[in-house]
Amino acid sequence: MAAVSQDKNGKEISRRYVNPDFPHFVHGADYNPEQWKHDRTIWDEDMRLMRLANCNEMTVGIFSWAEIEPSEGTFDFSVPDEILDKIHRAGGKVILATPSGARPRWLAEAYPEVLRVSPEGQRYAFGERHNHCYTSPAYREKVKTVNTMLARRYASHPAVIGWHVSNEYGGECFCPLCREAFREYLRKKFDNDIGKLNIAYWTAFWSHTYTDFSQIEPPSPLTDRSIHGLNLDWRRFVTLQTVDFMRAEVEPLKEADPSKPVTTNMMCGYEGLDYFKFRDILDFASWDSYPQWHSGDQEAAASEAGFWHDFYRCLKNRPFFLMESTPSMVNWHPYNKPKRPGMDVLSSLQAVAHGSDSVQYFQFRKSRGSCEKLHGAVVGHDGTEHTRVFRSVAKTGSILKTIDEVCGTAVKSDVALLLDWENMWALNDAQGYARDPSVKNYFGTLYAYESVLSRMGVNLDVIHPEDDLSSYRLVIAPMLYLTTEKTGRNLISYVNHGGTLLATYFAGTVDENDLCFFGKTPGRGLHELFGVEREETDVLYPDQTGKVLFEDRVFDVKDFAEVLKLSGGADALAVYEDDFYKGTPALTVKKTGNGSAYYQAFRGSKDFTEELLKRLLRKTGVRSCLKEAMNERGLLPDGISAHTRTDGKHVYLFVGNYEDRQSDVLPLGKEMLDMLSGEILSELSLPPFGFAVLKYGI
Ligand code: GAL
């Protein structure tokens, strides 16, 4: 899937297209023609509107099972046949969905085992969506049949460029089939030795010793949530079962055409599934992004979305798709505010800046009934192109055409941020520190790094702690409470080979079974790597603030402050200013060969993170892509962020203004081509919610 060529110095330039047969940005939307079957004039109108909206794609069939298999074994493909041909004739492409995200009534009636069972043991009735059992052989069989029919019929349709498998996999099922499959998973994992499991789960605590695998129940309010190792394994099992279900879905698609790329649409940081485990089964990653813009903190909304864009790009180390977004508002936020003029184009371009090769919406035409009838769409209930939202979508489409050469290019980053679902699960389970997971705020803590780096004009990769770190100048490992053996080795080897690592409080507390490390912590050899030993962890009430002294400045400490002992080779760079641990180290560094291991023992304020990252970037030689525009704090002006993509020969610089006011004048430091106006610029000022795509040669 990579088109490789060479530049004048023989350096390889590669563009990686999601589908090399369609090497262009995809601009489209979820499309549900079956909702308009009773008035087919709408279909032709939609083709006209698709072209007018500068869209070149429709995602079809996501919830169409009842349409294509109205009764068991009876198939009717007349709607997709006609729709796919219409889209093709209109010059559009199709991402075709498998329909397992919602099943028809007949299936639930004939095979009640497909219905999910709640943690309390109650089987749900038919209804809603995304609520089937992933273990059920009947569900898998029926999905396989319908997917096979779809694949054989449409894999070689000229409009179809890829597969959208199911829709937002998620949830868990507590039916007898899942419970038995879970026990089977544990039997394998623990070599059928219940003694091993008892030790791993520390079950002598509260007399919870198992004598047989058949006694194991998934954690639920009716069973046991006190065994943290069990909780972790249940979540791992749910992930594996879902991945296995997806694998079964993909098989018939690949049989029909191995080259047609598959994806499934993911949900930012959905906590129920370890998305890293989907890596091998996806040809490309895609996700559904619905930030709460205009809710007061634009930078927070932008950095959260930017963080997940980075994650999905890194998941497959190639361009990803923004599979869903809203051109205006959603219908499920606490307040469903429409995007202000400019925001839709800006948030779409933000995705592209971070490596998306598509901008897609939910949905093309707004439903008239049911629960999503007031959700934003490209075409509203007025049914015309004469709306602000439609014009904005058309504008995005025309911009994507203008910058089409950016499609397939890479995002290069010298800085990596480590993210781990298992760590988040264990951390949220931990009943120490602050009980409420929102105080630990794992994801939020990670977003803060994205936020600061965006304001510094530095690209960021978001990767797993066990991934290859060797290409990064700086690796940031926040709150790595659960540290696997492989992660421990990876971090140590990274620093030994000259890397700069920043880890923070909680690192190396528990192992893969959620058992605390015995002896000195951070465990897994990290206390030697950092040259520190953690003695205690202080927790601050929300209204309390501690102080640290760093670089002759005093910074705030919030929530958590570990008390450290230096244990060989480390220097204190910051010390606490108050409480019983006044004068003890709060930030340390230990040099090993060419590498440096920094340990930050407390939760710092944003200005501390800015100061520390500024220092670390300087030390590691990581440069801003817009350094001439930085202010005296080493940041871009408020609301401005900058990112780059590259084909190896050129840099494509994306600058966005997330605030509702004209930006300052930003000096560019050299002449660059403004890809939208065609002008050569050496400085730039962006309108409210404005952005620019600039190009220069390397
Ligand atoms: C997504 C889902 C879509 C639609 C959308 C509304 O999570 O995949 O089908 O419901 O939300 O925002």
Side-chain angles (χ1 to χ4, degrees):
M1 283 187 199
V4 180
S5 55
Q6 300 203 322
D7 70 10
K8 55 182 186 312
N9 303 318
K11 207 171 129 213
E12 211 173 71
I13 311 160
S14 64
R15 282 171 195 264
R16 305 191 76 195
Y17 298 110
V18 162
N19 184 335
D21 294 336
F22 189 70
H24 303 288
F25 280 119
V26 162
H27 184 226
D30 280 19
Y31 182 46
N32 302 102
E34 59 280 356
Q35 291 179 21
W36 308 95
K37 199 172 127 181
H38 54 281
D39 180 2
R40 298 188 183 203
T41 57
I42 297 261
W43 291 355
D44 290 321
E45 181 61 358
D46 284 337
M47 297 305 110
R48 186 184 75 86
L49 292 168
M50 175 182 82
R51 281 196 305 264
L52 272 184
N54 289 317
C55 282
N56 58 11
E57 184 271 347
M58 294 285 206
T59 307
V60 178
I62 297 178
F63 299 116
S64 306
W65 200 337
E67 173 59 42
I68 59 177
E69 192 178 1
S71 62
E72 185 171 5
T74 309
F75 293 90
D76 177 357
F77 290 107
S78 53
V79 169
D81 277 355
E82 201 174 327
I83 288 296
L84 262 55
D85 288 350
K86 273 186 194 299
I87 295 173
H88 180 55
R89 281 198 302 274
K93 296 292 174 194
V94 168
I95 295 186
L96 191 57
T98 68
S100 68
R103 62 185 163 269
R105 274 178 206 278
W106 61 258
L107 208 160
E109 282 163 11
Y111 305 95
E113 70 167 48
V114 307
L115 298 167
R116 213 168 260 186
V117 169
S118 74
E120 292 78 17
Q122 206 172 9
R123 200 174 283 281
Y124 292 102
F126 176 83
E128 302 286 341
R129 60 175 176 174
H130 301 163
N131 53 1
H132 38 267
C133 169
Y134 291 127
T135 307
S136 156
Y139 199 59
R140 286 181 176 222
E141 185 53 38
K142 292 293 147 193
V143 168
K144 185 176 173 192
T145 306
V146 73
N147 286 9
T148 305
M149 299 290 282
L150 278 170
R152 289 191 182 150
R153 198 171 185 94
Y154 299 118
S156 53
H157 191 286
V160 174
I161 54 168
W163 291 103
H164 177 296
V165 183
S166 200
N167 192 70
E168 294 188 337
Y169 285 120
E172 46 189 23
C173 171
F174 293 77
C175 76
L177 293 166
C178 286
R179 283 155 56 213
E180 193 42 42
F182 179 46
R183 291 180 196 119
E184 206 38 49
Y185 161 77
L186 295 178
R187 281 190 192 100
K188 279 210 191 91
K189 174 166 179 173
F190 291 101
D191 306 321
N192 220 0
D193 180 347
I194 199 71
K196 274 193 189 168
L197 177 141
N198 278 315
I199 292 172
Y201 286 3
W202 212 251
T203 53
F205 177 78
W206 287 356
S207 257
H208 285 184
T209 310
Y210 295 100
T211 52
D212 194 274
F213 281 90
S214 61
Q215 298 163 331
I216 297 173
E217 291 293 345
S220 84
L222 296 185
T223 59
D224 201 344
R225 284 175 167 168
S226 66
I227 305 176
H228 286 178
L230 177 78
N231 296 349
L232 259 186
D233 274 344
W234 170 250
R235 293 183 175 109
R236 289 179 177 128
F237 165 78
V238 170
T239 293
L240 291 182
Q241 203 68 348
T242 311
V243 171
D244 191 57
F245 183 88
M246 178 168 171
R247 184 164 289 119
E249 282 222 51
V250 168
E251 258 169 37
L253 312 180
K254 287 291 177 188
E255 253 167 49
D257 182 352
S259 72
K260 210 129 272 187
V262 302
T263 192
T264 186
N265 54 333
M266 295 168 152
M267 302 171 269
C268 51
Y270 172 65
E271 292 194 6
L273 292 172
D274 178 354
Y275 279 159
F276 280 110
K277 298 287 187 302
F278 286 75
R279 214 178 226 179
D280 294 342
I281 196 174
L282 301 171
D283 290 319
F284 65 106
S286 69
W287 78 290
D288 303 340
S289 173
Y290 295 105
Q292 279 192 59
W293 299 112
H294 317 297
S295 62
D297 191 345
Q298 285 287 94
E299 202 171 307
S303 55
E304 180 171 343
F307 173 88
W308 292 112
H309 289 319
D310 288 341
F311 165 73
Y312 288 102
R313 182 190 69 248
C314 294
L315 191 59
K316 291 298 293 180
N317 188 22
R318 61 181 315 145
F320 64 96
F321 270 20
L322 171 63
M323 188 58 84
E324 290 181 27
S325 60
T326 177
S328 50
M329 72 281 189
V330 298
N331 67 338
W332 48 268
H333 284 163
Y335 297 88
N336 296 300
K337 195 176 186 66
K339 287 174 172 172
R340 305 342 259 170
M343 196 64 232
D344 176 42
V345 181
L346 173 60
S347 56
S348 300
L349 267 288
Q350 181 196 21
V352 176
H354 285 260
S356 178
D357 275 359
S358 89
V359 172
Q360 292 158 277
Y361 310 96
F362 179 86
Q363 50 198 327
F364 189 76
R365 180 179 281 276
K366 199 184 285 226
S367 314
R368 275 192 69 194
S370 287
C371 61
E372 290 185 332
K373 61 181 180 294
L374 299 182
H375 194 289
V378 178
V379 180
H381 293 146
D382 64 301
T384 75
E385 65 271 40
H386 306 298
T387 62
R388 177 182 74 85
V389 169
F390 189 96
R391 284 191 292 274
S392 156
V393 168
K395 180 171 175 194
T396 299
S398 116
I399 291 169
L400 291 176
K401 283 183 194 167
T402 310
I403 63 166
D404 200 44
E405 66 176 82
V406 179
C407 181
T409 58
V411 171
K412 297 279 176 214
S413 172
D414 292 323
V415 184
L417 183 63
L418 306 186
L419 161 72
D420 182 1
W421 260 260
E422 296 198 352
N423 177 54
M424 184 254 298
W425 291 335
L427 189 58
N428 287 352
D429 247 4
Q431 289 181 233
Y433 318 124
R435 184 71 194 95
D436 180 353
S438 72
V439 180
K440 290 167 193 146
N441 192 17
Y442 181 57
F443 286 153
T445 306
L446 299 182
Y447 302 156
Y449 293 97
E450 173 79 44
S451 166
V452 171
L453 290 168
S454 293
R455 286 284 306 284
M456 291 179 165
V458 171
N459 289 347
L460 178 66
D461 277 0
V462 176
I463 61 171
H464 191 273
E466 294 179 359
D467 284 348
D468 181 4
L469 306 176
S470 57
S471 65
Y472 297 103
R473 289 170 187 248
L474 172 65
V475 170
I476 306 170
M479 299 168 87
L480 219 49
Y481 169 80
L482 183 153
T483 308
T484 65
E485 205 182 327
K486 198 166 167 197
T487 295
R489 271 190 272 117
N490 206 24
L491 298 181
I492 292 167
S493 144
Y494 170 68
V495 176
N496 285 340
H497 286 89
T500 298
L501 172 68
L502 167 67
T504 73
Y505 50 97
F506 300 158
T509 302
V510 300
D511 69 8
E512 314 42 9
N513 291 314
D514 214 338
L515 292 177
C516 289
F517 289 111
F518 210 38
K520 292 181 179 172
T521 60
R524 293 277 182 235
L526 298 186
H527 81 273
E528 283 109 351
L529 180 71
F530 294 109
V532 299
E533 195 183 327
R534 177 166 51 227
E535 197 172 331
E536 289 190 63
T537 302
D538 191 14
V539 175
L540 284 73
Y541 289 109
D543 58 354
Q544 293 180 328
T545 305
K547 299 275 175 236
V548 291
L549 182 67
F550 174 55
E551 307 256 293
D552 298 328
R553 276 176 68 193
V554 175
F555 294 90
D556 286 349
V557 174
K558 294 298 290 176
D559 303 328
F560 307 112
E562 291 178 343
V563 184
L564 301 182
K565 285 193 275 204
L566 296 182
S567 69
D571 294 322
L573 299 177
V575 290
Y576 291 111
E577 280 279 278
D578 49 12
D579 222 309
F580 68 91
Y581 39 92
K582 182 172 179 178
T584 66
L587 173 73
T588 62
V589 61
K590 181 175 169 184
K591 302 231 159 55
T592 312
N594 290 331
S596 304
Y598 290 78
Y599 191 80
Q600 179 187 328
F602 63 98
R603 178 169 285 171
S605 51
K606 198 164 179 198
D607 56 346
F608 174 79
T609 306
E610 287 167 6
E611 194 55 42
L612 178 59
L613 289 188
K614 209 164 66 184
R615 178 182 170 129
L616 294 179
L617 295 179
R618 205 183 315 123
K619 174 191 171 292
T620 52
V622 178
R623 289 154 59 94
S624 165
C625 62
L626 201 51
K627 63 177 184 329
E628 280 74 11
M630 311 272 260
N631 61 23
E632 64 296 340
R633 285 164 57 214
L635 298 173
L636 295 169
D638 281 353
I640 300 292
S641 68
H643 295 88
T644 55
R645 292 179 69 162
T646 182
D647 64 353
K649 266 187 182 165
H650 306 98
V651 172
Y652 299 98
L653 170 62
F654 290 76
V655 189
N657 174 15
Y658 290 84
E659 295 299 337
D660 192 6
R661 56 178 141 71
Q662 186 76 28
S663 82
D664 298 348
V665 174
L666 309 168
L668 300 174
K670 61 170 129 191
E671 295 200 324
M672 299 182 189
L673 171 71
D674 176 348
M675 292 186 76
L676 300 183
S677 70
E679 284 169 33
I680 301 292
L681 305 180
S682 54
E683 57 179 32
L684 177 73
S685 172
L686 293 172
F689 306 131
F691 75 94
V693 189
L694 305 158
K695 175 182 171 183
Y696 60 90
I698 292 178

